[in-house]
Amino acid sequence: MTSRPRLLLPAAFITSLGNNIQLLGAALLLVRAQGSMLDVGWLFIAVAVPQAVLSPYFGRLADRFDRRRLWIGCDLLGAAAALTLPIGLALGVSQQPLVYATNFALAVIAAQFTPASAALIRERVPAVHLRRFNAHYEIALQCGMLLSACVGGVALQYFGPTPLFAFNALTFALSAVLVFRVGTVRRPQELLLATTSAAHRSGIPLAPLAVLFGQGLVVVTVFNALLPVLLIGEWHRGPALLGVVDALGGAGFLLAAAVYRRSAARLGDLRLAIGAFLICTSLFALQPLFGVPLLMALVPLGAFLFGQARIATRSLLMTSVDELRVGYAFGLANGYGLAATVVVMLITSVVTGRSDTRYGFATVAAISLLTAGLAAAWISRRRAAAVREPDVTVLI
């Protein structure tokens, strides 16, 4: 069967669409039942913690077994888990434990899906085409997240959350069909006998790239938590403005993905990843300081820079290790990012609660700037040491 890696793009789109609709519906169920944002916070923890703990281990599994089968298996298990919620609600099962249990199960599945999907992409897409594919892949993910807010909001208002959970199960099933049609190639174990892909490595150490990639998850997650507090809680604006700002951010990210190949060709992935991330996080601290007009100007600019950095880091992470270790690389990065997100979210919540969101934004910016600076220094030191030392290649 001929390999069709382009089918991974619509598979990623509908998976992103379904997952975000699932979280939106689950959060609404908890708010309606309990009326407490604390319960929504526990939902986030139930989703983040298992992925943070299991991602590095599941990344190793993605390097040992057939990545395509793992992706399909994750989709089928995800469809079953997503269906459990509407079926349980119809049978009268207690709502709150059911929501937590279902989303916990989906989080465990996602911990395997993230490294397996990244490893499959690296396996099927030639190194020379990775930049273009990664840009398209991020566009697919972002479009899924943006559309989920629109589709999910309208459907929640008119149909309630239960049909959305069934729709999420359908998106998993469709993704499995698409990935099945991608076709088969050599198994990862068989690649051990092939020529090493060292010539395609970026030559950058894995650990600081994983930190940089994970820190991007911290920034976008905490931003999405701070923005409603700023606009609705402190500036007393309506939800419509929140939607407009989100749309501007999404537009900035999509523009970043569209021009990424030209930026990377001119600046290089490493310079683009570090430089854009440092500027983006610096702008992050300015966003709540000067009112709505400047916020609406800075959000798309920040999203544009963040998108450039995110895609460049993704490409570097894919090429920083041998093809047989890509699963572990993304498992490590995803695990760090989610664990750091929980910690930074708690710190930011305390700071914001004792002051206001200006200090919350500044806290996230300071942590991210420090982390990115340390990662850049780490990479520079390791690359300088590699130049001084003779190149030693270990053959397997």
Side-chain angles (χ1 to χ4, degrees):
M1 184 182 294
T2 304
S3 180
R4 306 180 186 92
R6 290 185 179 180
L7 293 177
L8 298 177
L9 297 175
F13 166 75
I14 60 176
T15 300
S16 174
L17 175 65
N19 284 342
N20 284 279
I21 286 178
Q22 169 84 20
L23 279 175
L24 181 63
L28 178 65
L29 277 181
L30 291 176
V31 171
R32 284 180 174 176
Q34 303 295 326
S36 171
M37 290 307 297
L38 179 61
D39 295 292
V40 179
W42 280 111
L43 175 64
F44 168 80
I45 293 173
V47 170
V49 170
Q51 294 189 65
V53 173
L54 295 173
S55 285
Y57 172 72
F58 283 170
R60 293 187 182 276
L61 293 183
D63 293 332
R64 293 182 58 190
F65 299 100
D66 188 296
R67 286 89 176 256
R68 173 172 166 268
R69 291 181 180 178
L70 284 175
W71 186 328
I72 294 172
C74 288
D75 281 338
L76 296 178
L77 289 174
L83 280 177
T84 301
L85 188 50
I87 292 174
L89 292 174
L91 295 176
V93 178
S94 180
Q95 182 172 287
Q96 188 175 13
L98 183 62
V99 169
Y100 285 133
T102 302
N103 282 277
F104 179 85
L106 288 171
V108 173
I109 295 167
Q112 179 65 83
F113 171 81
T114 299
S117 60
L120 182 61
I121 290 170
R122 181 64 183 89
E123 176 187 301
R124 300 303 180 92
V125 180
V128 293
H129 299 315
L130 273 178
R131 280 180 174 171
R132 180 176 62 183
F133 191 92
N134 282 332
H136 291 166
Y137 190 82
E138 290 290 344
I139 288 175
L141 293 180
Q142 186 69 16
C143 287
M145 286 188 284
L146 289 173
L147 189 59
S148 70
C150 176
V151 173
V154 173
L156 281 170
Q157 181 173 346
Y158 290 102
F159 305 108
T162 301
L164 291 183
F165 301 136
F167 175 76
N168 186 34
L170 178 62
T171 63
F172 278 117
L174 290 175
S175 175
V177 171
L178 288 169
V179 177
F180 175 79
R181 290 186 56 81
V182 166
T184 58
V185 293
R186 295 173 298 173
R187 291 172 56 85
Q189 292 88 340
E190 293 169 343
L191 291 173
L192 288 170
L193 302 178
T195 303
T196 178
S197 58
H200 300 296
R201 297 180 196 171
S202 64
I204 302 172
L206 168 62
L209 281 179
V211 168
L212 194 63
F213 187 84
Q215 198 63 30
L217 180 61
V218 174
V219 170
V220 72
T221 303
V222 181
F223 172 79
N224 287 333
L226 284 171
L227 187 62
V229 179
L230 173 67
L231 290 177
I232 298 175
E234 294 184 2
W235 289 356
H236 306 291
R237 301 303 180 100
L241 181 61
L242 178 62
V244 170
V245 174
D246 281 337
L248 289 172
F253 193 98
L254 292 177
L255 179 60
V259 305
Y260 157 72
R261 290 176 59 198
R262 294 182 180 178
S263 301
R266 176 171 297 182
L267 299 175
D269 280 318
L270 181 60
R271 186 179 300 174
L272 182 62
I274 295 175
F277 190 76
L278 289 174
I279 299 173
C280 168
T281 49
S282 299
L283 294 177
F284 193 87
L286 300 177
Q287 290 175 356
L289 298 182
F290 303 104
V292 173
L294 188 62
L295 175 70
M296 296 180 71
L298 289 178
V299 165
L301 176 59
F304 175 79
L305 293 167
F306 176 81
Q308 297 272 302
R310 180 73 173 178
I311 303 171
T313 310
R314 180 182 181 86
S315 297
L316 287 170
L317 193 59
M318 279 191 173
T319 56
S320 65
V321 296
D322 187 88
E323 184 179 323
L324 296 177
R325 298 183 64 231
V326 172
Y328 173 70
F330 275 84
L332 183 67
N334 193 52
Y336 163 78
L338 288 164
T341 297
V342 172
V343 174
V344 175
M345 184 78 78
L346 291 174
I347 294 173
T348 305
S349 298
V350 172
V351 171
T352 303
R354 294 182 177 181
S355 53
D356 56 52
T357 53
R358 293 175 300 171
Y359 296 95
F361 276 87
T363 299
V364 178
I367 294 173
S368 297
L369 284 171
L370 178 61
T371 304
L374 290 174
W378 190 350
I379 292 171
S380 178
R381 185 173 64 252
R382 289 289 299 273
R383 297 188 83 180
V387 171
R388 292 192 298 268
E389 296 174 359
D391 183 27
V392 178
T393 304
V394 179
L395 298 179
I396 299 178

